[in-house]
Amino acid sequence: MKYMNCLICMLMIFAGWGCSDDTIQENKEPMVATDGGYLFAHMTDENYARLFYSVSRDAFHWETLNKKRIVLPDYCGHPDICQGKDGVFYMIGVQPNTGIPILWSSSDLVIWKSDKLKKSIFNKISDLGYKNEETYYGAPKMFYDETSGQYIITWHAGKTGNDGEPSEWKTKRTFYILTSDFKTFTDPKHLFNFTGSDEDMATIDVIIRKVGDEYCALIKDERWPEDAPEVAKTIRMAKSKTLTGPYTNPGAPITSLSVWHEAPILVPTVDGEGFFLYAERYPKQYDMFKASSIDGPWTECYFQGPDARHGCIVRVNEKVYQAILNVHNTCLLYTSPSPRDYAAS
């Protein structure tokens, strides 16, 4: 394998391509966590919108648990998990055939309970001329901001067409709502107000993370190559000093123009001295990138990823990691009873 890698690098150099450090370092042993590891909550192409768990100690080598079976039979959606001020983990799904958003919560990522949210928390975007598709609600993402004590929920939606339905993908924009308790919510607002060549940028799959004193929004530029040939279908980053903006225009693409990516994931490296970024090379797999700084440079890494589509990765401690392993080597996750109404309109 080493000789093959060297041969590939030599061919790339002769062809005038670059050979990044991460490509050369493909065979180096990655750092392994001694306290906990990473949980990858994701769907698969064969079981779209259903929940699977994969785990890793080093973020490079992954094992799908529960014999590669669904871990939470009642869940439907595009999973994104955040940990709140009370230590509880949250994610949003949808109740099939009803369009009712469901808030899932767990203290240990093993036993989950579900509560109904009101459609109105998302559907008030009609006042802005947009409409949700209520199958998955534009893949809601969640982030807990310790500074303000608020949860921000972001999702994407398109303008209403002549038939009253959401129009094509190039009209997708990112909206947000805030809540501190999942009972009362602010009205939806546009998250971004980009200018110049990015003024009409279509955005989907936005996640927000705080790095130092800055909020970083990782974005899929949803424009088509004929409309934005230098950035289309790539993952880009915008920044702000405050949670809800204003955010800067996004920077240069992190991912390659030659391969379309979406559904970004950002987690710290094992030693906490850098970052891993994963992006779905849809519709079959994730690619992995690494940087020592949030500002890059980002280089692609070889990794043994699971069979995964749209998902999220959470860094967990040893107690949670072992609890997940113990359950998923033996049985399915707890299935909740019918969800109860939870949120006020």
Side-chain angles (χ1 to χ4, degrees):
M1 185 66 179
K2 291 182 179 180
Y3 298 110
M4 181 60 71
N5 289 335
C6 290
L7 177 59
I8 291 172
C9 284
M10 290 176 65
L11 290 173
M12 290 170 68
I13 293 170
F14 291 145
W17 304 339
C19 186
S20 73
D21 289 343
D22 276 332
T23 302
I24 296 172
Q25 295 173 7
E26 176 179 315
N27 292 296
K28 288 187 176 181
E29 289 296 326
M31 183 177 294
V32 177
T34 57
D35 178 14
Y38 298 90
L39 170 68
F40 195 168
H42 59 86
M43 63 175 77
T44 68
D45 196 46
E46 292 75 19
N47 287 279
Y48 194 84
R50 308 308 299 276
L51 187 64
F52 295 80
Y53 273 3
S54 297
V55 293
S56 175
R57 291 283 193 180
D58 59 15
F60 286 84
H61 302 88
W62 294 86
E63 176 188 3
T64 301
L65 301 179
N66 203 41
K67 298 181 179 179
K68 299 186 177 181
R69 297 178 301 182
I70 295 166
V71 297
L72 186 56
D74 289 349
Y75 180 82
C76 179
H78 292 193
D80 184 58
I81 297 172
C82 80
Q83 189 172 20
K85 56 188 173 184
D86 49 4
V88 173
F89 297 94
Y90 297 95
M91 66 178 173
I92 293 178
V94 65
Q95 188 176 73
N97 304 317
T98 69
I100 296 173
I102 304 295
L103 177 69
W104 291 87
S105 59
S106 173
S107 62
D108 56 8
L109 296 169
V110 173
I111 296 176
W112 289 89
K113 70 173 185 177
S114 59
D115 302 293
K116 290 181 181 178
L117 299 175
K118 298 292 186 181
K119 287 185 179 182
S120 60
I121 67 173
F122 294 117
N123 287 347
K124 287 180 181 179
I125 62 171
S126 61
D127 297 340
L128 303 173
Y130 287 78
K131 185 173 182 179
N132 292 306
E133 54 85 12
E134 294 182 354
T135 306
Y136 304 114
Y137 277 104
K141 315 294 185 195
M142 301 175 64
F143 171 71
Y144 174 64
D145 178 37
E146 292 184 357
T147 301
S148 65
Q150 297 277 331
Y151 298 86
I152 184 169
I153 302 172
T154 59
W155 76 101
H156 52 263
K159 283 189 175 180
T160 306
N162 294 330
D163 58 358
E165 295 302 316
S167 55
E168 61 185 358
W169 285 93
K170 65 173 58 180
T171 72
K172 297 294 185 184
R173 298 296 185 269
T174 299
F175 297 86
Y176 76 89
I177 53 179
L178 299 171
T179 182
S180 61
D181 56 10
F182 298 106
K183 295 180 181 178
T184 58
F185 297 81
T186 61
D187 287 341
K189 293 182 180 180
H190 285 282
L191 183 58
F192 303 123
N193 185 26
F194 298 142
T195 60
S197 61
D198 290 323
E199 182 176 1
D200 295 323
M201 177 180 173
T203 60
I204 70 169
D205 292 347
V206 171
I207 63 170
I208 294 175
R209 300 293 183 264
K210 192 173 186 182
V211 179
D213 61 353
E214 289 187 309
Y215 296 89
C216 300
L218 286 154
I219 303 161
K220 182 196 177 182
D221 190 326
E222 184 58 0
R223 289 177 290 187
W224 291 90
E226 57 266 30
D227 298 322
E230 296 181 353
V231 291
K233 309 298 182 182
T234 64
I235 304 302
R236 304 172 66 192
M237 186 186 302
K239 291 184 175 183
S240 174
K241 290 295 185 180
T242 59
L243 177 64
T244 58
Y247 281 84
T248 63
N249 276 18
I254 294 172
T255 56
S256 171
L257 284 168
S258 62
V259 180
W260 292 1
H261 288 92
E262 63 184 22
I265 299 168
L266 183 72
V267 292
T269 54
V270 173
D271 60 8
E273 297 298 319
F275 298 92
F276 295 128
L277 185 143
Y278 303 80
E280 182 188 330
R281 186 200 300 190
Y282 55 96
K284 291 292 185 181
Q285 71 180 60
Y286 265 83
D287 292 332
M288 179 184 187
F289 305 82
K290 182 181 179 182
S292 58
S293 164
I294 194 66
D295 296 316
W298 294 90
T299 50
E300 187 168 357
C301 307
Y302 170 79
F303 86 116
Q304 296 176 347
D307 175 17
R309 290 206 62 184
H310 208 113
C312 66
I313 296 174
V314 182
R315 184 74 162 87
V316 296
N317 62 31
E318 188 67 21
K319 180 180 179 180
V320 173
Y321 194 87
Q322 288 298 330
I324 293 169
L325 289 180
N326 290 339
V327 168
H328 290 296
N329 285 334
T330 58
C331 63
L332 291 174
L333 265 180
Y334 167 81
T335 304
S336 73
S338 298
R340 59 188 173 88
D341 291 326
Y342 192 76
S345 59

PDB file of all heavy atoms in Angstrom, residues 26-52:
ATOM      1  N   GLU A  26      -1.160   9.591   4.875  1.00  0.00           N
ATOM      2  CA  GLU A  26      -2.312   8.686   4.914  1.00  0.00           C
ATOM      3  C   GLU A  26      -2.092   7.485   5.813  1.00  0.00           C
ATOM      4  O   GLU A  26      -3.000   7.020   6.492  1.00  0.00           O
ATOM      5  CB  GLU A  26      -2.623   8.231   3.487  1.00  0.00           C
ATOM      6  CG  GLU A  26      -3.729   7.218   3.369  1.00  0.00           C
ATOM      7  CD  GLU A  26      -3.978   6.864   1.924  1.00  0.00           C
ATOM      8  OE1 GLU A  26      -4.025   7.780   1.094  1.00  0.00           O
ATOM      9  OE2 GLU A  26      -4.103   5.668   1.628  1.00  0.00           O
ATOM     10  N   ASN A  27      -0.856   6.966   5.860  1.00  0.00           N
ATOM     11  CA  ASN A  27      -0.601   5.738   6.596  1.00  0.00           C
ATOM     12  C   ASN A  27      -0.127   5.966   8.027  1.00  0.00           C
ATOM     13  O   ASN A  27       0.165   5.020   8.738  1.00  0.00           O
ATOM     14  CB  ASN A  27       0.444   4.912   5.838  1.00  0.00           C
ATOM     15  CG  ASN A  27      -0.110   4.380   4.529  1.00  0.00           C
ATOM     16  OD1 ASN A  27      -1.041   3.591   4.512  1.00  0.00           O
ATOM     17  ND2 ASN A  27       0.448   4.840   3.419  1.00  0.00           N
ATOM     18  N   LYS A  28      -0.014   7.203   8.456  1.00  0.00           N
ATOM     19  CA  LYS A  28       0.363   7.476   9.829  1.00  0.00           C
ATOM     20  C   LYS A  28      -0.788   7.136  10.759  1.00  0.00           C
ATOM     21  O   LYS A  28      -1.958   7.346  10.440  1.00  0.00           O
ATOM     22  CB  LYS A  28       0.768   8.944   9.997  1.00  0.00           C
ATOM     23  CG  LYS A  28       2.110   9.290   9.350  1.00  0.00           C
ATOM     24  CD  LYS A  28       2.524  10.693   9.711  1.00  0.00           C
ATOM     25  CE  LYS A  28       3.913  11.007   9.152  1.00  0.00           C
ATOM     26  NZ  LYS A  28       4.342  12.378   9.516  1.00  0.00           N
ATOM     27  N   GLU A  29      -0.442   6.631  11.931  1.00  0.00           N
ATOM     28  CA  GLU A  29      -1.477   6.275  12.892  1.00  0.00           C
ATOM     29  C   GLU A  29      -2.068   7.546  13.506  1.00  0.00           C
ATOM     30  O   GLU A  29      -1.348   8.375  14.048  1.00  0.00           O
ATOM     31  CB  GLU A  29      -0.897   5.389  13.992  1.00  0.00           C
ATOM     32  CG  GLU A  29      -0.537   3.990  13.533  1.00  0.00           C
ATOM     33  CD  GLU A  29      -1.753   3.200  13.095  1.00  0.00           C
ATOM     34  OE1 GLU A  29      -2.837   3.399  13.681  1.00  0.00           O
ATOM     35  OE2 GLU A  29      -1.623   2.410  12.146  1.00  0.00           O
ATOM     36  N   PRO A  30      -3.405   7.737  13.435  1.00  0.00           N
ATOM     37  CA  PRO A  30      -4.015   8.932  14.031  1.00  0.00           C
ATOM     38  C   PRO A  30      -4.035   8.837  15.550  1.00  0.00           C
ATOM     39  O   PRO A  30      -3.924   7.753  16.130  1.00  0.00           O
ATOM     40  CB  PRO A  30      -5.432   8.908  13.465  1.00  0.00           C
ATOM     41  CG  PRO A  30      -5.707   7.469  13.176  1.00  0.00           C
ATOM     42  CD  PRO A  30      -4.387   6.880  12.758  1.00  0.00           C
ATOM     43  N   MET A  31      -4.159   9.974  16.202  1.00  0.00           N
ATOM     44  CA  MET A  31      -4.261   9.998  17.656  1.00  0.00           C
ATOM     45  C   MET A  31      -5.572   9.367  18.098  1.00  0.00           C
ATOM     46  O   MET A  31      -6.625   9.616  17.512  1.00  0.00           O
ATOM     47  CB  MET A  31      -4.173  11.445  18.150  1.00  0.00           C
ATOM     48  CG  MET A  31      -4.203  11.582  19.662  1.00  0.00           C
ATOM     49  SD  MET A  31      -4.014  13.311  20.187  1.00  0.00           S
ATOM     50  CE  MET A  31      -2.329  13.628  19.642  1.00  0.00           C
ATOM     51  N   VAL A  32      -5.510   8.537  19.139  1.00  0.00           N
ATOM     52  CA  VAL A  32      -6.679   7.822  19.633  1.00  0.00           C
ATOM     53  C   VAL A  32      -7.112   8.407  20.968  1.00  0.00           C
ATOM     54  O   VAL A  32      -6.283   8.621  21.861  1.00  0.00           O
ATOM     55  CB  VAL A  32      -6.379   6.317  19.789  1.00  0.00           C
ATOM     56  CG1 VAL A  32      -7.582   5.586  20.376  1.00  0.00           C
ATOM     57  CG2 VAL A  32      -5.989   5.706  18.443  1.00  0.00           C
ATOM     58  N   ALA A  33      -8.406   8.667  21.118  1.00  0.00           N
ATOM     59  CA  ALA A  33      -8.925   9.200  22.376  1.00  0.00           C
ATOM     60  C   ALA A  33      -8.850   8.146  23.469  1.00  0.00           C
ATOM     61  O   ALA A  33      -9.153   6.970  23.235  1.00  0.00           O
ATOM     62  CB  ALA A  33     -10.361   9.659  22.189  1.00  0.00           C
ATOM     63  N   THR A  34      -8.448   8.533  24.657  1.00  0.00           N
ATOM     64  CA  THR A  34      -8.414   7.618  25.805  1.00  0.00           C
ATOM     65  C   THR A  34      -9.604   7.836  26.728  1.00  0.00           C
ATOM     66  O   THR A  34      -9.852   7.042  27.623  1.00  0.00           O
ATOM     67  CB  THR A  34      -7.111   7.809  26.603  1.00  0.00           C
ATOM     68  OG1 THR A  34      -7.004   9.177  27.010  1.00  0.00           O
ATOM     69  CG2 THR A  34      -5.913   7.431  25.743  1.00  0.00           C
ATOM     70  N   ASP A  35     -10.328   8.929  26.518  1.00  0.00           N
ATOM     71  CA  ASP A  35     -11.533   9.215  27.293  1.00  0.00           C
ATOM     72  C   ASP A  35     -12.670   9.466  26.306  1.00  0.00           C
ATOM     73  O   ASP A  35     -12.824  10.563  25.782  1.00  0.00           O
ATOM     74  CB  ASP A  35     -11.337  10.425  28.197  1.00  0.00           C
ATOM     75  CG  ASP A  35     -12.614  10.775  28.988  1.00  0.00           C
ATOM     76  OD1 ASP A  35     -13.530   9.940  29.037  1.00  0.00           O
ATOM     77  OD2 ASP A  35     -12.665  11.888  29.529  1.00  0.00           O
ATOM     78  N   GLY A  36     -13.461   8.447  26.050  1.00  0.00           N
ATOM     79  CA  GLY A  36     -14.586   8.594  25.138  1.00  0.00           C
ATOM     80  C   GLY A  36     -14.160   8.546  23.685  1.00  0.00           C
ATOM     81  O   GLY A  36     -13.173   7.906  23.318  1.00  0.00           O
ATOM     82  N   GLY A  37     -14.917   9.221  22.856  1.00  0.00           N
ATOM     83  CA  GLY A  37     -14.657   9.202  21.421  1.00  0.00           C
ATOM     84  C   GLY A  37     -15.716  10.005  20.694  1.00  0.00           C
ATOM     85  O   GLY A  37     -16.230  11.000  21.214  1.00  0.00           O
ATOM     86  N   TYR A  38     -16.063   9.559  19.494  1.00  0.00           N
ATOM     87  CA  TYR A  38     -16.990  10.278  18.638  1.00  0.00           C
ATOM     88  C   TYR A  38     -18.187   9.393  18.306  1.00  0.00           C
ATOM     89  O   TYR A  38     -18.037   8.204  18.006  1.00  0.00           O
ATOM     90  CB  TYR A  38     -16.308  10.689  17.332  1.00  0.00           C
ATOM     91  CG  TYR A  38     -15.133  11.621  17.496  1.00  0.00           C
ATOM     92  CD1 TYR A  38     -13.839  11.121  17.672  1.00  0.00           C
ATOM     93  CD2 TYR A  38     -15.305  13.007  17.464  1.00  0.00           C
ATOM     94  CE1 TYR A  38     -12.760  11.971  17.809  1.00  0.00           C
ATOM     95  CE2 TYR A  38     -14.219  13.865  17.604  1.00  0.00           C
ATOM     96  CZ  TYR A  38     -12.946  13.345  17.775  1.00  0.00           C
ATOM     97  OH  TYR A  38     -11.878  14.185  17.912  1.00  0.00           O
ATOM     98  N   LEU A  39     -19.371   9.985  18.340  1.00  0.00           N
ATOM     99  CA  LEU A  39     -20.586   9.331  17.881  1.00  0.00           C
ATOM    100  C   LEU A  39     -21.043  10.005  16.592  1.00  0.00           C
ATOM    101  O   LEU A  39     -21.210  11.223  16.547  1.00  0.00           O
ATOM    102  CB  LEU A  39     -21.702   9.435  18.921  1.00  0.00           C
ATOM    103  CG  LEU A  39     -23.088   8.983  18.435  1.00  0.00           C
ATOM    104  CD1 LEU A  39     -23.114   7.482  18.180  1.00  0.00           C
ATOM    105  CD2 LEU A  39     -24.171   9.388  19.420  1.00  0.00           C
ATOM    106  N   PHE A  40     -21.237   9.216  15.556  1.00  0.00           N
ATOM    107  CA  PHE A  40     -21.746   9.682  14.273  1.00  0.00           C
ATOM    108  C   PHE A  40     -23.195   9.216  14.172  1.00  0.00           C
ATOM    109  O   PHE A  40     -23.458   8.015  14.059  1.00  0.00           O
ATOM    110  CB  PHE A  40     -20.892   9.085  13.151  1.00  0.00           C
ATOM    111  CG  PHE A  40     -21.064   9.739  11.793  1.00  0.00           C
ATOM    112  CD1 PHE A  40     -20.169   9.445  10.769  1.00  0.00           C
ATOM    113  CD2 PHE A  40     -22.091  10.622  11.523  1.00  0.00           C
ATOM    114  CE1 PHE A  40     -20.297  10.019   9.515  1.00  0.00           C
ATOM    115  CE2 PHE A  40     -22.235  11.214  10.275  1.00  0.00           C
ATOM    116  CZ  PHE A  40     -21.329  10.918   9.267  1.00  0.00           C
ATOM    117  N   ALA A  41     -24.136  10.136  14.269  1.00  0.00           N
ATOM    118  CA  ALA A  41     -25.558   9.831  14.098  1.00  0.00           C
ATOM    119  C   ALA A  41     -25.928  10.200  12.667  1.00  0.00           C
ATOM    120  O   ALA A  41     -25.790  11.364  12.270  1.00  0.00           O
ATOM    121  CB  ALA A  41     -26.398  10.618  15.092  1.00  0.00           C
ATOM    122  N   HIS A  42     -26.402   9.245  11.897  1.00  0.00           N
ATOM    123  CA  HIS A  42     -26.566   9.481  10.461  1.00  0.00           C
ATOM    124  C   HIS A  42     -27.664   8.606   9.875  1.00  0.00           C
ATOM    125  O   HIS A  42     -28.149   7.660  10.497  1.00  0.00           O
ATOM    126  CB  HIS A  42     -25.242   9.197   9.746  1.00  0.00           C
ATOM    127  CG  HIS A  42     -24.735   7.795   9.923  1.00  0.00           C
ATOM    128  ND1 HIS A  42     -25.124   6.741   9.105  1.00  0.00           N
ATOM    129  CD2 HIS A  42     -23.872   7.249  10.833  1.00  0.00           C
ATOM    130  CE1 HIS A  42     -24.524   5.628   9.497  1.00  0.00           C
ATOM    131  NE2 HIS A  42     -23.759   5.907  10.559  1.00  0.00           N
ATOM    132  N   MET A  43     -28.027   8.909   8.657  1.00  0.00           N
ATOM    133  CA  MET A  43     -28.895   8.054   7.868  1.00  0.00           C
ATOM    134  C   MET A  43     -28.041   7.314   6.835  1.00  0.00           C
ATOM    135  O   MET A  43     -26.821   7.518   6.764  1.00  0.00           O
ATOM    136  CB  MET A  43     -29.969   8.886   7.160  1.00  0.00           C
ATOM    137  CG  MET A  43     -29.404   9.880   6.155  1.00  0.00           C
ATOM    138  SD  MET A  43     -30.679  10.759   5.224  1.00  0.00           S
ATOM    139  CE  MET A  43     -31.222  11.957   6.432  1.00  0.00           C
ATOM    140  N   THR A  44     -28.669   6.457   6.050  1.00  0.00           N
ATOM    141  CA  THR A  44     -27.989   5.820   4.925  1.00  0.00           C
ATOM    142  C   THR A  44     -28.815   6.050   3.666  1.00  0.00           C
ATOM    143  O   THR A  44     -29.993   6.424   3.730  1.00  0.00           O
ATOM    144  CB  THR A  44     -27.808   4.304   5.134  1.00  0.00           C
ATOM    145  OG1 THR A  44     -29.091   3.662   5.101  1.00  0.00           O
ATOM    146  CG2 THR A  44     -27.119   4.009   6.464  1.00  0.00           C
ATOM    147  N   ASP A  45     -28.202   5.820   2.522  1.00  0.00           N
ATOM    148  CA  ASP A  45     -28.923   6.009   1.272  1.00  0.00           C
ATOM    149  C   ASP A  45     -30.058   4.994   1.138  1.00  0.00           C
ATOM    150  O   ASP A  45     -31.123   5.295   0.609  1.00  0.00           O
ATOM    151  CB  ASP A  45     -27.959   5.879   0.089  1.00  0.00           C
ATOM    152  CG  ASP A  45     -28.552   6.445  -1.191  1.00  0.00           C
ATOM    153  OD1 ASP A  45     -29.118   7.554  -1.142  1.00  0.00           O
ATOM    154  OD2 ASP A  45     -28.458   5.783  -2.243  1.00  0.00           O
ATOM    155  N   GLU A  46     -29.824   3.788   1.648  1.00  0.00           N
ATOM    156  CA  GLU A  46     -30.838   2.731   1.557  1.00  0.00           C
ATOM    157  C   GLU A  46     -31.981   2.953   2.549  1.00  0.00           C
ATOM    158  O   GLU A  46     -33.107   2.519   2.308  1.00  0.00           O
ATOM    159  CB  GLU A  46     -30.205   1.363   1.814  1.00  0.00           C
ATOM    160  CG  GLU A  46     -29.235   0.900   0.747  1.00  0.00           C
ATOM    161  CD  GLU A  46     -27.896   1.621   0.809  1.00  0.00           C
ATOM    162  OE1 GLU A  46     -27.583   2.201   1.877  1.00  0.00           O
ATOM    163  OE2 GLU A  46     -27.172   1.618  -0.212  1.00  0.00           O
ATOM    164  N   ASN A  47     -31.685   3.617   3.675  1.00  0.00           N
ATOM    165  CA  ASN A  47     -32.698   3.888   4.707  1.00  0.00           C
ATOM    166  C   ASN A  47     -32.702   5.382   5.004  1.00  0.00           C
ATOM    167  O   ASN A  47     -32.302   5.832   6.079  1.00  0.00           O
ATOM    168  CB  ASN A  47     -32.409   3.080   5.971  1.00  0.00           C
ATOM    169  CG  ASN A  47     -32.712   1.615   5.807  1.00  0.00           C
ATOM    170  OD1 ASN A  47     -33.858   1.179   5.906  1.00  0.00           O
ATOM    171  ND2 ASN A  47     -31.677   0.838   5.529  1.00  0.00           N
ATOM    172  N   TYR A  48     -33.164   6.133   4.021  1.00  0.00           N
ATOM    173  CA  TYR A  48     -33.131   7.582   4.108  1.00  0.00           C
ATOM    174  C   TYR A  48     -34.036   8.073   5.242  1.00  0.00           C
ATOM    175  O   TYR A  48     -35.145   7.582   5.431  1.00  0.00           O
ATOM    176  CB  TYR A  48     -33.582   8.190   2.784  1.00  0.00           C
ATOM    177  CG  TYR A  48     -33.266   9.656   2.649  1.00  0.00           C
ATOM    178  CD1 TYR A  48     -32.013  10.073   2.224  1.00  0.00           C
ATOM    179  CD2 TYR A  48     -34.211  10.625   2.956  1.00  0.00           C
ATOM    180  CE1 TYR A  48     -31.710  11.416   2.100  1.00  0.00           C
ATOM    181  CE2 TYR A  48     -33.921  11.974   2.840  1.00  0.00           C
ATOM    182  CZ  TYR A  48     -32.664  12.359   2.413  1.00  0.00           C
ATOM    183  OH  TYR A  48     -32.371  13.706   2.306  1.00  0.00           O
ATOM    184  N   ALA A  49     -33.520   9.032   6.013  1.00  0.00           N
ATOM    185  CA  ALA A  49     -34.237   9.686   7.109  1.00  0.00           C
ATOM    186  C   ALA A  49     -34.385   8.811   8.351  1.00  0.00           C
ATOM    187  O   ALA A  49     -35.042   9.194   9.309  1.00  0.00           O
ATOM    188  CB  ALA A  49     -35.620  10.187   6.672  1.00  0.00           C
ATOM    189  N   ARG A  50     -33.757   7.640   8.367  1.00  0.00           N
ATOM    190  CA  ARG A  50     -33.767   6.786   9.553  1.00  0.00           C
ATOM    191  C   ARG A  50     -32.428   6.929  10.279  1.00  0.00           C
ATOM    192  O   ARG A  50     -31.413   7.324   9.677  1.00  0.00           O
ATOM    193  CB  ARG A  50     -34.007   5.327   9.165  1.00  0.00           C
ATOM    194  CG  ARG A  50     -35.226   5.130   8.283  1.00  0.00           C
ATOM    195  CD  ARG A  50     -36.499   5.758   8.848  1.00  0.00           C
ATOM    196  NE  ARG A  50     -36.872   5.203  10.136  1.00  0.00           N
ATOM    197  CZ  ARG A  50     -37.579   4.085  10.291  1.00  0.00           C
ATOM    198  NH1 ARG A  50     -37.972   3.390   9.234  1.00  0.00           N
ATOM    199  NH2 ARG A  50     -37.886   3.649  11.490  1.00  0.00           N
ATOM    200  N   LEU A  51     -32.392   6.575  11.555  1.00  0.00           N
ATOM    201  CA  LEU A  51     -31.239   6.884  12.389  1.00  0.00           C
ATOM    202  C   LEU A  51     -30.341   5.677  12.624  1.00  0.00           C
ATOM    203  O   LEU A  51     -30.805   4.618  13.059  1.00  0.00           O
ATOM    204  CB  LEU A  51     -31.707   7.433  13.739  1.00  0.00           C
ATOM    205  CG  LEU A  51     -30.612   7.958  14.675  1.00  0.00           C
ATOM    206  CD1 LEU A  51     -29.921   9.173  14.056  1.00  0.00           C
ATOM    207  CD2 LEU A  51     -31.194   8.323  16.035  1.00  0.00           C
ATOM    208  N   PHE A  52     -29.046   5.864  12.343  1.00  0.00           N
ATOM    209  CA  PHE A  52     -28.014   4.859  12.586  1.00  0.00           C
ATOM    210  C   PHE A  52     -26.925   5.483  13.454  1.00  0.00           C
ATOM    211  O   PHE A  52     -26.719   6.694  13.438  1.00  0.00           O
ATOM    212  CB  PHE A  52     -27.399   4.368  11.269  1.00  0.00           C
ATOM    213  CG  PHE A  52     -28.349   3.630  10.382  1.00  0.00           C
ATOM    214  CD1 PHE A  52     -29.258   4.316   9.586  1.00  0.00           C
ATOM    215  CD2 PHE A  52     -28.353   2.244  10.335  1.00  0.00           C
ATOM    216  CE1 PHE A  52     -30.148   3.642   8.766  1.00  0.00           C
ATOM    217  CE2 PHE A  52     -29.232   1.554   9.515  1.00  0.00           C
ATOM    218  CZ  PHE A  52     -30.134   2.258   8.733  1.00  0.00           C
TER     219      PHE A  52
END
